[in-house]
Amino acid sequence: MAEPQRESWGSRLGFILAAAGSAIGLGNIWKFPYVAGQNGGAAFVLIYLAGIALLGLPILIGEIIIGRHAKANAVRSYRMFGGSPRWRAAGIWGVAGGILLLSYYCVVGGWTLGYIIKSASNPLGSTSTVQEARELFSLFTGNPVEVVVYHAAFLSLTAASIITGIQNGIEKWNKFLLPLLFVILVILIIRSNTLEGSSRGLAYYLVPDFSRIRVTTFIEAFGQCFFSLSLGLGAMVTYGSYLRGDEHIVRSSAMIVFLDTLAAFMAGLVIFPAAYAFSMDPGQGPGLTFHVIPVIFSRIPLGQLFSVLFFILLAVAALTSAMSLLELAVAFCIDELHWARPKSVVAMSLLVFIVGLPSALSFNLIAGWKPFPGMTFFSLADTLTSSIVLPFGGIWICLALLKSHAAGIAREELSKDKIPPIWISLWIFMMRGIVPVILLLLILYSFLR
Ligand code: PHE
């Protein structure tokens, strides 16, 4: 039976926006500001940029090469790149890891939807202290029915955006949502930086404090850049597989990296000035978004409007990332199981919903259940994916490249883009020697922590 023709992106811009949409996510808006806050502000940003050059960009180029070469789902793409059926395992690793990551990502995505509605209908407007905001957050996540319904709602939005395919679904939505995201960021930056007392926050963020740099700062920054660029699972392999073959891989990758870093940097420009204006500690960790933001917005004129905007921003960022994770699994079902797209989307969404249930319930019904010492299911899923599954996913690519088969494919693909041979050799050298060492250090660090 002849296979139906495979879809592709309508334009190079469409691909770049979709891939940037995957990269720009909760990692940028939620995690980057607080990790930077804990690690010396601007000094951290500089190290982060080094991480992008040494780790992020090389692997991103690698993933797109693998996908564009095979024009198939991640499992088949890794198999073709590795040159023997064993390499299917690397793809399966990514698809399974993607399902696990998406399952708790959608729970947090659900919270953002909940907070849009809560801030629009105002109970957030009355939270005038961080203590109150914290209580409101526990009350919300402590209600099993509510979080499960929001989890399902977020997942349904993700499924609905990709069910219509690549050009009419993913590409169309990203072309609309990504510019929207940047517009909201600009509005919030202006609001935040016109608050009284905000300039100290800006100084903290922009003037590097190298005395706060530790060895661990490098590890944090490199790990963050890996997660932020959606690497290690095959999401970028899958998006790269819808390229027609005449798009320039290195130039597109540089653009994706630029947009991703810009968004993270801009999120910091919203958070730090606002936090300082209200004398709140920007280094206080993950609660920054859900505990501090509502309070800040409750204290300024038109705060409710900005609060709604902020949570729309978070939801949009999360949604465009979730699309790429669902597509990773869906492309597998379409290519390997020969299912139609709608069936694949529905089946994979149901699977993600079920796997996500224990994460959604980790804050209420099963809060006492610790599948791993000191960790709820939610934190286990988070740690397992970001500290183990993703970095190993990068290592598989480096291992494959040790063989001349994979290196040959990479050379061939990059030559099509007219990359000079000396640059190609430099890239292969980095992927064989430098990148895997950094990734092993990341994994080691997460075990010792
Ligand atoms: N890059 C996304 C973020 O910053 C998360 C992600 C990781 C998405 C891996 C896809 C694959 O939130």
Side-chain angles (χ1 to χ4, degrees):
M1 192 179 73
E3 297 217 1
Q5 225 207 333
R6 204 158 190 276
E7 278 198 84
S8 60
W9 304 107
S11 66
R12 176 167 168 249
L13 180 72
F15 163 66
I16 290 178
L17 289 183
S22 165
I24 301 172
L26 295 168
N28 301 58
I29 316 288
W30 171 62
K31 204 164 171 207
F32 182 87
Y34 84 75
V35 180
Q38 285 169 334
N39 289 287
F44 176 86
V45 179
L46 289 179
I47 297 176
Y48 182 85
L49 292 178
I52 287 205
L54 290 175
L55 180 72
L57 191 59
I59 297 231
L60 178 59
I61 292 173
E63 288 208 8
I64 300 179
I65 288 176
I66 295 174
R68 192 182 78 173
H69 170 75
K71 304 229 176 343
N73 71 94
V75 174
R76 201 180 302 176
S77 293
Y78 280 108
R79 188 225 169 284
M80 285 175 73
F81 189 65
S84 72
R86 272 187 307 169
W87 285 95
R88 288 172 59 91
I92 294 171
W93 173 274
V95 172
I99 290 173
L100 186 62
L101 174 51
L102 182 60
S103 74
Y104 78 84
Y105 204 85
C106 282
V107 172
V108 182
W111 297 349
T112 66
L113 292 185
Y115 266 63
I116 295 176
I117 295 179
K118 282 188 197 304
S119 35
S121 60
N122 204 25
L124 288 179
S126 52
T127 45
S128 52
T129 63
V130 175
Q131 185 53 30
E132 271 177 73
R134 212 169 262 153
E135 275 159 24
L136 195 86
F137 181 71
S138 326
L139 207 66
F140 171 53
T141 53
N143 180 335
V145 177
E146 217 175 346
V147 278
V148 168
V149 168
Y150 278 120
H151 166 51
F154 186 84
L155 194 51
S156 310
L157 277 181
T158 312
S161 340
I162 77 164
I163 204 161
T164 41
I166 303 305
Q167 279 188 30
N168 284 326
I170 301 179
E171 184 168 350
K172 200 178 78 189
W173 281 110
N174 275 289
K175 272 186 168 163
F176 166 66
L177 291 173
L178 213 68
L180 174 72
L181 181 137
F182 277 101
V183 170
I184 299 180
L185 270 172
V186 170
I187 298 176
L188 290 173
I189 288 176
I190 297 174
R191 173 67 279 200
S192 172
N193 285 277
T194 45
L195 292 169
E196 225 182 284
S198 58
S199 55
R200 278 180 305 124
L202 206 58
Y204 173 80
Y205 186 39
L206 298 183
V207 180
D209 174 4
F210 289 102
S211 68
R212 295 181 54 182
I213 300 298
R214 311 270 176 276
V215 178
T216 53
T217 315
F218 285 84
I219 310 253
E220 292 277 354
F222 287 18
Q224 167 66 14
C225 105
F226 202 73
F227 181 86
S228 186
L229 283 171
S230 303
L231 300 174
L233 294 176
M236 291 299 186
V237 173
T238 309
Y239 272 11
S241 75
Y242 299 119
L243 280 173
R244 281 206 212 92
D246 48 3
E247 283 86 355
H248 200 286
I249 293 181
V250 176
R251 228 177 283 149
S252 307
S253 303
M255 199 59 205
I256 296 162
V257 166
F258 171 74
L259 289 173
D260 184 58
T261 310
L262 182 68
F265 183 71
M266 287 171 80
L269 289 179
V270 176
I271 306 280
F272 289 102
Y276 267 77
F278 291 99
S279 313
M280 288 175 189
D281 174 14
Q284 63 170 274
L288 198 61
T289 312
F290 290 99
H291 299 158
V292 173
I293 294 291
V295 181
I296 292 175
F297 287 126
S298 74
R299 295 195 194 164
I300 59 179
L302 288 182
Q304 189 180 359
L305 172 71
F306 290 109
S307 186
V308 174
L309 272 183
F310 178 80
F311 287 108
I312 291 180
L313 168 75
L314 263 184
V316 165
L319 182 64
T320 53
S321 298
M323 285 179 204
S324 70
L325 286 165
L326 191 56
E327 181 62 25
L328 168 68
V330 164
F332 168 78
C333 298
I334 294 177
D335 291 350
E336 304 297 311
L337 309 177
H338 305 289
W339 290 356
R341 173 170 281 273
K343 177 177 169 187
S344 309
V345 171
V346 172
M348 287 301 105
S349 304
L350 277 175
L351 179 64
V352 170
F353 175 72
I354 294 167
V355 180
L357 279 179
S359 284
L361 301 179
S362 284
F363 298 83
N364 38 70
L365 292 187
I366 55 168
W369 180 49
K370 304 272 161 20
F372 193 80
M375 283 188 188
T376 60
F377 187 89
F378 178 93
S379 36
L380 182 65
D382 178 13
T383 314
L384 207 61
T385 45
S386 39
S387 311
I388 312 276
V389 181
L390 262 64
F392 269 117
I395 288 180
W396 306 148
I397 302 179
C398 301
L399 280 181
L401 266 176
L402 288 176
K403 298 203 305 178
S404 55
H405 172 82
I409 291 177
R411 276 187 197 282
E412 184 190 314
E413 288 296 320
L414 289 173
S415 308
K416 280 189 205 157
D417 294 350
K418 307 207 169 39
I419 304 289
I422 174 91
W423 285 105
I424 302 182
S425 301
L426 177 70
W427 176 79
I428 292 181
F429 167 76
M430 288 188 65
M431 292 291 286
R432 284 178 173 171
I434 298 177
V435 172
V437 174
I438 300 179
L439 289 172
L440 278 177
L441 286 175
L442 287 182
I443 296 167
L444 211 66
Y445 170 69
S446 60
F447 275 115
L448 296 178
R449 205 164 29 172

